[in-house]
């Protein structure tokens, strides 16, 4: 799973800079679709795809909060190709000019590649099947059977990725004109990325982009060397180093309240909206500050007091199930809300199309320029069409291959269940893509969880856990890639890129992701202790997803005392908080927390909430001192911090594989 965070962007101005708007129609030559996809672009995409897969896995296996890296993908793509063309001109080799279309294709390819590190379930449903998660829940736990175990291996993971990841691309490609031109859906993240790419390819924009790249490089270096420095003090085991620094005192440290000097989480705090960071901190205070200490006093009454810290019959069970109830409450509310909005907008669009007044309004120069710009975009977007027969036959063919293959990987998932997934999936993919276009909020993981519950309960106690998790993977993959594709079509539409080049780059990016995402996950799997509940890479959602599957099979009989009542309270609270966010005025609702963000620290701990809050405080102060500078450079600083720490993971993993341990263990004990 993971909670992918992107901030909505309101667009109130032309998306091409003023100096380009009117002239563009006459001045800019749009390259044919084949020329928009270049060998250098694909090489850069592969490099950045691998880097972002490593970062996504790190975030997925530690906290599960994944900020949008689309802007970083666009910026780094611009930097690498610009450096390439400048170097070529210096040594006297002629290089093809770098266009906004090539920049868009690179960004699309990178996002398609690293998106699979999220939707591929390497930190959630796929890892839920392994031996460690089974043992962590307990062999004697009702519904947790030894037969429902499938350990990760490169062969079946790559095979599974190839048979499920392409269907989402074919499911909605025929509706791209309806979504982008007819309904004019905003897709805020795609629009913001287009705005960024368009700005790079102007004189002033290129100058700012150069400064942003230098800023990103500076903070990437600082982050990398800081992570390297931290490694020397991290010793053997999980209790040493800066990651366990009791910066707020030892009493707070016991309840996971401490600043752990992580550039990644501080970077996330800089990228994520203030309300997300504050919600995460509020969730940490409610759970680790009040709720868990209170439940701990009930040991011996509500649950046996001699249980281990990771036993589901004790406090650990409350942590997991209350987090699940908040996540499901938030997901269900947003699903219902977006379905209602979708139906309303759909009906409005239909009624508008049937009753359009035939009135020609008077237009001034500015509006006629904008109209010409829009006409050019529409012509470009419709020109290189992807035939509907190709999309339909691609979907049917891939669904047939997948229906035959998935039961070989997961025998519990019968062929007719896989077929049922593929019959329902396009409708869910449409709902999610439409909802993402309106709100920028992809509910892929919510659709995945619905599939998990439905199929786990259908199959029952003999294989329901694995069948549910596999169905979750199939649904999540289709729904997620379909929404990403539409988001990228919107970016392509606004940067005058051919939909055909966008679709091909999505296919290439997905193929790269099917290989790179499992390989980069394997780096973590072999080098680190993935899934250890007290380790760095605790993979929090692996346990949560397996528990959901067991819940789907067994019902609520396995919950500890009073756990169901508490879960109901938090489930209803999530619905009420979301309702308050929607019915109150904007100046009030912007201060109401987001339940999904609050749920994350309930299970994981408060330490990363402190780091993210530090990031949000830095950004808040920076915005007060110099808003323009903060808007221009905060994303570059955040991306640098996240990328530098992510790059350090590679040498760190190599050292771990060769069993080279840090020389010093720095830890803290009371002076008495």
């Amino acid at each position: 799973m993971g909670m992918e965070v992107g901030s909505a962007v309101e667009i109130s101005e032309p998306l091409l800079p003023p100096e380009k708007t009117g002239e563009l129609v006459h001045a800019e030559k749009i390259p044919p679709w084949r020329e928009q996809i270049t060998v250098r672009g694909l090489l850069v995409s592969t490099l950045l795809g691998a880097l972002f897969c490593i970062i996504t896995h790190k975030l997925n296996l530690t906290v599960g909060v994944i900020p949008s890296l689309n802007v970083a993908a666009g910026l780094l793509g611009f930097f690498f190709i610009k450096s390439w063309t400048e170097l070529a001109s210096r040594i006297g080799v002629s290089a093809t000019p770098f266009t906004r279309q090539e920049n868009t294709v690179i960004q699309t390819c990178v996002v398609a590649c690293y998106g699979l590190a999220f939707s591929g379930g390497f930190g959630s449903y796929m890892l839920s099947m392994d031996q460690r998660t089974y043992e962590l829940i307990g062999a004697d736990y009702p519904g947790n059977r030894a037969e429902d175990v499938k350990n990760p291996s490169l062969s079946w993971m790559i095979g599974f990725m190839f048979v499920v990841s392409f269907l989402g691309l074919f499911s909605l490609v025929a509706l791209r004109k309806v979504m982008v031109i007819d309904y004019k859906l905003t897709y805020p993240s795609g629009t913001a990325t287009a705005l960024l790419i368009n700005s790079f390819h102007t004189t002033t924009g290129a100058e700012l982009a150069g400064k942003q790249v230098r800023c990103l490089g500076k903070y990437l270096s600082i982050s990398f060397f800081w992570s390297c420095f931290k490694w020397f003090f991290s010793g053997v085991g999980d209790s040493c180093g800066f990651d366990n620094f009791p910066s707020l005192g030892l009493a707070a440290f016991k309840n996971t309240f401490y600043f752990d000097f992580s550039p990644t989480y501080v970077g996330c705090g800089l990228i994520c909206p203030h309300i997300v960071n504050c919600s995460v901190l509020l969730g940490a205070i409610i759970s680790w500050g009040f709720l868990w200490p209170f439940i701990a006093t009930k040991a011996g009454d509500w649950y046996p007091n001699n249980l281990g810290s990771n036993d589901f019959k004790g406090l650990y069970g409350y942590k997991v199930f209350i987090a699940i109830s908040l996540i499901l409450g938030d997901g269900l509310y947003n699903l219902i809300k977006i379905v209602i909005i979708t139906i309303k907008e759909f009906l409005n669009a239909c009624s508008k199309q049937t009753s359009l007044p035939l009135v020609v309004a008077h237009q001034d120069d500015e509006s006629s320029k904008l109209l010409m710009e829009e006409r050019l975009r529409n012509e470009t977007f419709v020109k290189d069409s992807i035939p509907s027969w190709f999309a339909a036959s691609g979907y049917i063919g891939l669904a047939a291959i997948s229906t035959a293959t998935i039961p070989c990987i997961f025998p519990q998932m019968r062929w007719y269940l896989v077929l049922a997934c593929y019959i329902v999936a396009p409708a869910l993919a449409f709902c999610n893509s439409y909802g993402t276009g309106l709100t920028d909020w992809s509910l892929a993981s919510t659709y995945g969880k619905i599939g998990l519950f439905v199929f786990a309960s259908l199959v029952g106690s003999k294989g329901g856990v694995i069948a549910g998790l596999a169905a979750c993977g199939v649904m999540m993959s289709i729904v997620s890639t379909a929404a990403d594709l539409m988001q990228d079509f919107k970016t392509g539409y606004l940067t005058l890129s051919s939909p055909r080049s966008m679709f091909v780059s999505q296919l290439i990016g997905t193929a790269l992701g099917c290989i790179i995402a499992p390989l980069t996950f394997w780096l973590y799997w072999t080098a680190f202790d993935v899934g250890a509940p007290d380790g760095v890479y605790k993979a929090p959602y692996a346990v949560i997803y397996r528990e959901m599957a067991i819940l789907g099979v067994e019902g609520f009989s396995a919950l500890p005392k009073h756990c169901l009542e508490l879960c109901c309270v938090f489930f209803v609270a999530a619905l009420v908080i979301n309702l308050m966010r929607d019915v109150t005025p904007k100046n009030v609702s912007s201060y109401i927390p987001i339940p999904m963000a609050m749920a994350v620290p309930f299970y994981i701990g408060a330490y990363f909430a402190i780091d993210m809050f530090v990031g949000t405080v830095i950004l808040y102060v920076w915005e007060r001192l110099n808003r323009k500078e903060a808007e221009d450079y905060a994303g570059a600083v955040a991306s640098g911090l996240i990328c530098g720490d992510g790059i350090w993971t590679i040498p760190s993993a190599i050292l771990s594989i060769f069993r080279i341990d840090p020389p010093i263990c720095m830890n803290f004990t009371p002076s008495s």
Side-chain angles (χ1 to χ4, degrees):
M1 179 210 170
M3 185 182 79
E4 191 155 18
V5 181
S7 54
V9 178
E10 218 170 276
I11 304 302
S12 56
E13 55 189 81
L15 279 153
L16 294 172
E19 69 258 37
K20 285 270 180 182
T21 305
E23 304 159 24
L24 183 93
V25 181
H26 309 290
E28 186 175 328
K29 183 181 177 290
I30 301 166
W33 74 269
R34 282 189 177 85
E35 287 177 22
Q36 294 174 22
I37 304 164
T38 60
V39 174
R40 67 186 183 189
L42 295 179
L43 289 173
V44 167
S45 301
T46 307
L47 179 70
L48 292 177
L51 171 62
F52 288 171
C53 276
I54 288 167
I55 292 166
T56 304
H57 286 316
K58 178 171 184 175
L59 290 165
N60 239 339
L61 295 172
T62 49
V63 295
V65 176
I66 303 160
S68 174
L69 298 170
N70 294 20
V71 169
L75 187 61
L76 286 169
F78 174 80
F79 165 67
F80 279 118
I81 300 293
K82 210 68 178 157
S83 306
W84 185 311
T85 51
E86 279 174 18
L87 183 68
S89 66
R90 275 183 196 163
I91 58 172
V93 178
S94 67
T96 318
F98 183 37
T99 61
R100 73 185 71 219
Q101 288 79 14
E102 188 181 354
N103 204 161
T104 308
V105 162
I106 291 169
Q107 191 266 344
T108 299
C109 195
V110 173
V111 171
C113 180
Y114 93 79
L116 293 189
F118 166 69
S119 65
F122 297 99
S124 55
Y125 62 83
M126 220 180 252
L127 211 54
S128 299
M129 304 176 187
D130 82 330
Q131 184 73 25
R132 166 161 263 163
T133 310
Y134 160 74
E135 288 169 358
L136 196 56
I137 290 173
D140 58 342
Y141 191 83
N144 191 34
R145 305 186 316 146
E147 293 88 343
D148 291 326
V149 168
K150 189 169 183 71
N151 284 312
S153 88
L154 276 177
S155 54
W156 77 257
M157 286 195 302
I158 291 173
F160 181 70
M161 296 295 284
F162 268 106
V163 294
V164 301
S165 299
F166 289 91
L167 279 114
L169 302 180
F170 288 90
S171 63
L172 292 186
V173 71
L175 296 177
R176 75 197 175 284
K177 180 180 172 290
V178 174
M179 307 284 254
V180 175
I181 295 177
D182 298 347
Y183 292 150
K184 292 185 167 58
L185 295 174
T186 50
Y187 289 100
S189 286
T191 300
T193 307
L195 183 62
L196 185 82
I197 290 171
N198 280 334
S199 74
F200 288 164
H201 297 270
T202 63
T203 315
T204 49
E207 201 176 302
L208 176 62
K211 290 176 183 172
Q212 287 173 328
V213 166
R214 282 193 290 278
C215 176
L216 189 148
K218 182 170 119 185
Y219 283 92
L220 185 148
S221 307
I222 291 168
S223 173
F224 179 84
F225 287 114
W226 171 247
S227 300
C228 175
F229 175 75
K230 281 202 314 181
W231 178 83
F232 283 94
F233 298 90
S234 57
V236 181
D238 302 310
S239 59
C240 306
F242 285 93
D243 290 345
N244 295 281
F245 195 108
S247 40
L248 303 175
L250 288 164
F253 179 78
K254 276 184 190 167
N255 282 324
T256 73
F257 283 95
Y258 58 94
F259 177 63
D260 76 346
F261 299 91
S262 165
T264 295
Y265 305 145
V266 174
C268 288
L270 281 165
I271 289 183
C272 294
H274 292 305
I275 189 62
V276 170
N277 299 317
C278 294
S279 301
V280 169
L281 184 65
L282 180 63
I285 292 166
I286 291 168
S287 54
W288 293 90
F290 298 101
L291 191 59
W292 306 152
F294 169 73
I295 294 175
T297 63
K298 302 293 180 185
D301 177 13
W302 288 13
Y303 60 91
N305 61 2
N306 56 347
L307 299 173
S309 62
N310 300 310
D311 195 311
F312 271 86
K313 297 182 194 72
L315 181 58
Y316 195 60
Y318 292 92
K319 290 177 185 176
V320 171
F321 286 110
I322 291 173
I324 288 172
S325 63
L326 266 176
I327 290 166
L328 290 179
D330 188 288
L332 186 69
Y333 179 89
N334 280 295
L335 179 65
I336 293 166
K337 173 182 144 185
I338 284 173
V339 166
I340 291 167
I341 291 171
T342 302
I343 292 166
K344 266 189 187 171
E345 292 290 325
F346 200 78
L347 294 172
N348 285 348
C350 290
S351 65
K352 275 178 194 166
Q353 280 182 342
T354 54
S355 58
L356 283 175
L358 295 169
V359 178
V360 179
H362 172 71
Q363 290 165 344
D364 57 17
D365 283 355
E366 187 59 33
S367 60
S368 66
K369 277 180 187 175
L370 287 171
L371 197 67
M372 286 171 74
E373 184 191 321
E374 188 178 345
R375 194 177 296 146
L376 177 64
R377 286 210 191 101
N378 291 350
E379 283 168 9
T380 308
F381 196 70
V382 173
K383 188 175 65 174
D384 292 325
S385 64
I386 299 146
S388 296
W389 65 263
F390 175 75
S393 55
Y395 187 83
I396 293 164
L398 286 167
I401 293 165
S402 194
T403 303
T405 311
I406 288 176
C408 301
I409 302 171
F410 305 110
Q412 298 90 335
M413 188 78 175
R414 300 271 188 262
W415 68 268
Y416 49 85
L417 296 175
V418 182
L419 189 60
C421 276
Y422 290 137
I423 291 167
V424 176
L428 298 181
F430 175 79
C431 290
N432 191 45
S433 296
Y434 202 105
T436 307
L438 295 169
T439 65
D440 209 28
W441 191 279
S442 174
L443 295 175
S445 54
T446 306
Y447 289 104
K449 289 189 209 88
I450 292 167
L452 190 158
F453 280 119
V454 169
F455 285 89
S457 56
L458 276 176
V459 175
S461 57
K462 291 189 177 171
V465 170
I466 292 285
L469 291 167
C472 172
V474 171
M475 301 296 260
M476 199 165 143
S477 183
I478 292 174
V479 169
S480 177
T481 49
D484 287 348
L485 178 70
M486 282 300 158
Q487 190 93 260
D488 288 329
F489 273 143
K490 181 70 178 185
T491 306
Y493 170 74
L494 295 170
T495 56
L496 299 173
S497 303
S498 161
R500 202 171 285 184
S501 68
M502 301 297 289
F503 186 66
V504 171
S505 72
Q506 269 272 359
L507 288 173
I508 294 167
T510 303
L512 288 171
C514 289
I515 297 164
I516 292 171
L519 284 175
T520 46
F521 169 75
W522 204 249
L523 178 78
Y524 284 93
W525 183 255
T526 50
F528 304 113
D529 196 13
V530 172
D534 302 316
V536 177
Y537 298 101
K538 49 174 73 74
Y541 287 106
V543 166
I544 286 176
Y545 271 64
R546 191 173 182 93
E547 274 293 358
M548 284 188 202
I550 292 168
L551 212 57
V553 173
E554 291 290 312
F556 298 108
S557 58
L559 299 183
K561 192 177 179 183
H562 298 302
C563 188
L564 183 58
E565 292 94 319
L566 284 167
C567 286
C568 290
V569 167
F570 279 92
F571 181 83
V572 171
L575 297 176
V576 171
I577 292 168
N578 271 308
L579 187 63
M580 284 168 62
R581 281 178 61 81
D582 285 339
V583 298
T584 52
K586 196 160 176 27
N587 60 336
V588 176
S589 67
S590 58
Y591 294 100
I592 297 173
I594 300 165
M596 183 76 82
M598 287 171 68
V600 180
F602 267 64
Y603 170 56
I604 298 160
Y607 59 92
F608 81 96
I610 305 286
D611 294 8
M612 287 179 72
F613 189 70
V614 167
T616 216
V617 168
I618 291 168
L619 182 61
Y620 180 80
V621 173
W622 194 357
E623 284 171 340
R624 288 292 166 276
L625 294 173
N626 190 334
R627 180 169 284 276
K628 178 79 174 74
E629 190 181 77
E631 284 172 1
D632 287 345
Y633 295 105
V637 172
S639 301
L641 291 173
I642 293 169
C643 292
D645 201 17
I647 292 168
W648 168 251
T649 308
I650 301 167
S652 166
I654 293 165
L655 290 167
S656 180
I657 289 165
F658 287 106
R659 302 285 175 255
I660 299 169
D661 296 319
I664 304 164
C665 171
M666 178 177 77
N667 64 4
F668 299 84
T669 53
S671 55
S672 56

